[in-house]
């Protein structure tokens, strides 16, 4: 039902990189607001339960940017107060705020992105560039649960033998490092078995291909084409200076020419594409569910 | 061996440094005038990472060394996730350096950069991911190059990881400042360093502790396996 997850990783990756680059490297209140609204709505549409941690960290980063720039940048015309002969200006705070909102939106983008790009998709995209890195990545992702289980085993047996004491911090550190030392022994012996078995099955004797479930469907091409078209308009209006905005010495006016407006609209659509995809799917699901429960199976009810 | 038959990688490893990188930086500086510096640094970092990964592809690595690399990436990532409640404490630098000393620079780069990538799946990916990957990768690579000097010397290893941790923090602070305000000013850099002092200190000291504790098992076990199986 999560529709964005079923797109080809390359298409999602392409859309994400383009949007994040435009959002991150334009310092413009409108772009920042659009990016923030798009990323937050996507996050809220996708989330199953409330996640306060990410909102707190986004808020902290936004506030941090605002305060850092407000107190350490002394450009700007409107002086609010003077500390140690250093003027604290309104423009510096607004500059910090716009940077902070951009940074917060980037946090939201990346959070959703790492949710969509699961490890198999990362391996799929990386495998084209560097099969060796992708192989190492796959193997270490498999080793992680294996080692955690093994560490628990070692820990329990140490406890059973009565060596593992955790009364003081020193003895606890000693205990942990003893478990770690045993882990390394186990892991290195395991390596020899694994690699011999790999060699026996012919690793390194030919070109390595990957197995993946991701096919490139027409809608992936459509997503990439729409992304390319919209981002081209955004890039052109960035390059033409329609998105330029000055903070110092006074805030400039937001450009409201036809070129700038079309640039903003294109970037806005770009930001909301995933929210449309996901939200539309949710709405369709709700609609179908309501039809099921109301007309077809009336006694099932709610 | 397999790399020679892969035209995409060969193409990328020539195409990116000599064509994509300059053209992206130039057009980027022209397009993103407002944040040109931040853009330039991010683009160059991400592309450098790709070039490094492509370049390593050419050399032939033994299967055993490859699997060992994966093992230490897993161990470093588990360590970082376990230590994540303590801010600033993580064993990635220590494990990367210790493993790189025995396995060489290429493995060191892989361990540093990929364990940053994997542990960030749990911690959180962000604009800093590429910087972290490159920074830890280079720490591992340099450790691999200095392996003659470092191997078996607990004190030198401690000094190296302490310095590496401090340098890593200072470099990440430069990134923070440029990211936050697009210009580099020493006022802001000093402010960022001062705010980060507790973390930098905890980080560097924990590096020493991890190195001190892990040096012996690494020396004994990796040394043994290197001799026994000729890796």
């Amino acid at each position: 039902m999560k529709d964005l997850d079923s797109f080809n990783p390359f298409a999602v990756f392409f859309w994400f990189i383009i949007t994040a680059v435009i959002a991150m490297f334009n310092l413009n209140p409108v772009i920042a607001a659009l990016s923030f609204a798009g990323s937050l709505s996507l996050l809220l549409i996708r989330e199953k339960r409330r996640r306060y941690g990410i909102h707190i960290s986004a808020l902290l980063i936004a506030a941090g940017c605002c305060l850092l720039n407000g107190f350490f940048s002394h450009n700007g015309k409107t002086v609010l107060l003077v500390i140690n002969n250093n003027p604290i200006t309104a423009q510096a705070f607004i500059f910090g705020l716009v940077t902070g909102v951009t940074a917060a939106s980037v946090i939201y983008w990346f959070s959703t992105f790492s949710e969509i790009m699961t490890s198999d998709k990362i391996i799929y995209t990386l495998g084209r560039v560097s099969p060796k890195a992708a192989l190492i990545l796959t193997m270490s992702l498999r080793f992680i649960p294996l080692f955690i289980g093994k560490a628990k085993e070692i820990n329990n047996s140490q406890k059973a033998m009565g060596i593992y004491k955790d009364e003081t911090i020193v003895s606890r550190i000693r205990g942990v490092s003893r478990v770690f030392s045993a882990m390394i022994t186990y892991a290195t012996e395991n390596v020899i078995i694994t690699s011999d078995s790999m060699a026996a099955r012919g690793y390194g004797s030919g070109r390595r291909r990957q197995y993946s479930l991701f096919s490139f469907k027409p809608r992936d091409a459509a997503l990439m084409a729409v992304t390319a078209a919209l981002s081209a308009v955004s890039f052109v209006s960035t390059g033409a200076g329609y998105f330029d905005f000055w903070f110092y010495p006074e805030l400039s006016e937001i450009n409201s020419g036809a070129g700038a407006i079309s640039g903003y609209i294109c970037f806005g659509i770009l930001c909301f594409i995933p929210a449309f995809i996901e939200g539309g799917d949710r709405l369709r699901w709700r609609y179908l569910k309501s039809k099921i429960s109301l007309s077809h199976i009336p006694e099932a009810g709610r | 061996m397999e790399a020679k038959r892969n035209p995409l990688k060969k193409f990328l490893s020539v195409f990116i440094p000599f064509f994509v990188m300059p053209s992206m930086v130039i057009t980027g500086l022209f397009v993103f005038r407002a944040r040109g510096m931040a853009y330039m640094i991010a683009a160059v970092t991400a592309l450098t990472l790709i070039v490094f990964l492509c370049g390593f592809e050419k050399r032939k690595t033994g299967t055993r060394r490859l699997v060992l690399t994966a093992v230490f990436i897993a161990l470093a990532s588990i360590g970082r996730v376990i230590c994540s409640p303590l801010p600033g404490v993580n064993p990635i630098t220590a494990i990367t350096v210790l493993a790189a000393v025995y396995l060489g620079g290429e493995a060191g780069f892989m361990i540093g950069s990929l364990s940053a990538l994997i542990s960030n799946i749990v911690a959180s990916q962000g604009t800093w991911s590429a910087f972290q990957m490159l920074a830890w990768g280079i720490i591992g690579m340099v450790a691999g190059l200095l392996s003659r000097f470092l191997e078996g010397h607990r004190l030198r290893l401690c000094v190296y990881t302490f310095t590496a941790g401090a340098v890593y923090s200072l470099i990440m602070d430069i990134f923070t400042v440029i990211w936050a305000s697009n210009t580099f000013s020493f006022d802001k850099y000093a402010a960022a360093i001062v705010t980060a002092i507790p973390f930098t200190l905890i980080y560097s000291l924990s590096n020493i502790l991890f190195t001190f504790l892990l040096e012996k098992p690494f020396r004994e076990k990796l040394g043994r396996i290197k001799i026994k199986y000729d890796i």
Side-chain angles (χ1 to χ4, degrees), chain B residues 80-142:
Chain B
R80 176 156 183 217
V81 174
I82 289 172
C83 295
S84 59
L86 306 166
V89 178
N90 75 63
I92 289 189
T93 312
I95 293 182
T96 306
V97 168
L98 285 170
V101 165
Y102 292 95
L103 299 177
E106 179 189 357
F109 188 89
M110 287 278 187
I111 293 172
S113 58
L114 294 183
S115 49
L117 183 70
I118 288 186
S119 55
N120 275 351
I121 292 176
V122 180
S124 58
Q125 304 277 8
T127 36
W128 52 84
S129 289
F131 290 83
Q132 271 183 342
M133 284 173 72
L134 194 67
W136 266 322
I138 288 174
I139 287 176
M141 201 168 69
V142 173

Side-chain angles (χ1 to χ4, degrees), chain B residues 3 19 21 32 53 64 81 97 103 124 143-144 151 153 156 193:
Chain B
F19 184 75
M21 233 193 256
F32 299 111
L53 289 178
R64 284 172 177 163
V81 174
V97 168
L103 299 177
S124 58
E151 191 174 340
H153 295 85
R156 288 180 189 172
I193 290 177

Side-chain angles (χ1 to χ4, degrees), chain B residues 161 175 181:
Chain B
T161 44
F175 159 66
S181 56

Side-chain angles (χ1 to χ4, degrees), chain B residues 29 89 141 149 191 229:
Chain B
L29 284 178
V89 178
M141 201 168 69
F149 177 70
Y229 294 105

Side-chain angles (χ1 to χ4, degrees), chain A:
Chain A
M1 157 166 170
K2 285 199 167 175
D3 208 16
L4 209 57
D5 302 67
S6 60
F7 274 83
N8 188 290
F10 272 115
V12 178
F13 193 72
F14 181 66
W15 163 82
F16 173 79
I17 289 290
I18 294 269
T19 314
V21 161
I22 297 175
M24 281 190 285
F25 300 112
N26 268 307
L27 266 186
N28 179 312
V30 182
I31 296 286
L34 282 174
S35 163
F36 186 77
S39 57
L40 186 61
S41 58
L42 180 61
L43 189 91
L44 293 178
I45 285 174
R46 284 179 60 91
E47 77 179 353
K48 295 192 196 88
R49 55 188 166 74
R50 285 270 167 274
R51 293 186 303 175
Y52 296 104
I54 183 167
H55 299 298
I56 291 170
S57 61
L59 194 69
L60 281 179
I61 286 200
C65 281
C66 190
L67 292 179
L68 188 76
N69 199 69
F71 285 109
F72 289 98
S73 170
H74 308 299
N75 299 325
K77 219 173 175 184
T78 320
V79 176
L80 297 176
L81 68 159
V82 178
I83 299 175
N84 290 342
N85 290 329
N86 284 327
I88 307 294
T89 65
Q91 281 84 2
F93 273 109
I94 292 171
F95 179 89
L97 187 68
V98 173
T99 331
V101 169
T102 310
S105 77
V106 170
I107 286 185
Y108 288 140
W109 283 134
F110 270 104
S111 161
T112 315
F113 178 69
S114 53
E115 212 179 274
I116 296 172
M117 294 297 269
T118 45
S119 53
D120 56 329
K121 292 184 184 171
I122 291 180
I123 290 163
Y124 170 71
T125 25
L126 191 68
R128 293 292 179 83
V129 182
S130 171
K132 200 199 270 177
L135 176 69
I136 291 179
L137 208 60
T138 330
M139 288 170 86
S140 31
L141 282 169
R142 193 270 169 275
F143 283 145
I144 287 173
L146 187 76
F147 287 174
I148 289 175
K150 198 70 195 173
K152 275 182 194 154
E153 229 171 81
I154 295 170
N155 202 359
N156 287 340
S157 56
Q158 298 251 321
K159 264 185 194 159
M161 287 192 292
I163 326 172
Y164 191 26
K165 297 192 185 76
D166 48 2
E167 287 140 10
T168 61
I169 265 204
V170 177
S171 66
R172 194 178 295 177
I173 289 177
R174 271 199 182 153
V176 171
S177 50
R178 204 181 296 118
V179 171
F180 192 84
S181 167
M183 278 295 306
I184 298 179
T185 312
Y186 162 75
T188 43
E189 285 299 332
N190 198 26
V191 160
I192 303 303
I193 299 167
T194 313
S195 54
D196 283 355
S197 142
M198 278 167 69
R201 283 153 210 237
Y203 173 77
S205 58
R207 193 176 156 193
R208 190 178 156 74
R209 278 188 303 269
Q210 282 187 306
Y211 169 73
S212 69
L213 279 170
F214 307 106
S215 56
F216 200 82
K217 300 186 196 87
R219 60 176 190 164
D220 297 313
L223 177 63
M224 284 181 92
V226 170
T227 308
L230 290 174
S231 63
V233 178
S234 306
F235 274 115
V236 166
S237 37
T238 313
Y242 294 144
F243 290 170
D244 282 3
F245 188 85
W246 294 277
F247 293 86
Y248 306 122
E250 267 190 319
L251 301 182
S252 66
E253 294 211 342
I254 291 170
N255 195 337
S256 55
I261 294 290
S262 57
Y264 289 136
I265 289 174
C266 283
F267 181 69
I269 297 174
L270 198 62
C271 284
F272 280 97
I273 284 178
F276 286 145
I277 294 173
E278 297 255 331
D281 218 40
R282 302 284 140 104
L283 281 181
R284 208 178 311 138
W285 173 244
R286 281 266 178 89
Y287 171 69
L288 290 173
K289 215 161 79 174
S290 69
K291 259 170 86 177
I292 293 170
S293 60
L294 289 180
S295 64
H296 294 290
I297 324 167
E299 58 274 11
R302 289 216 177 201

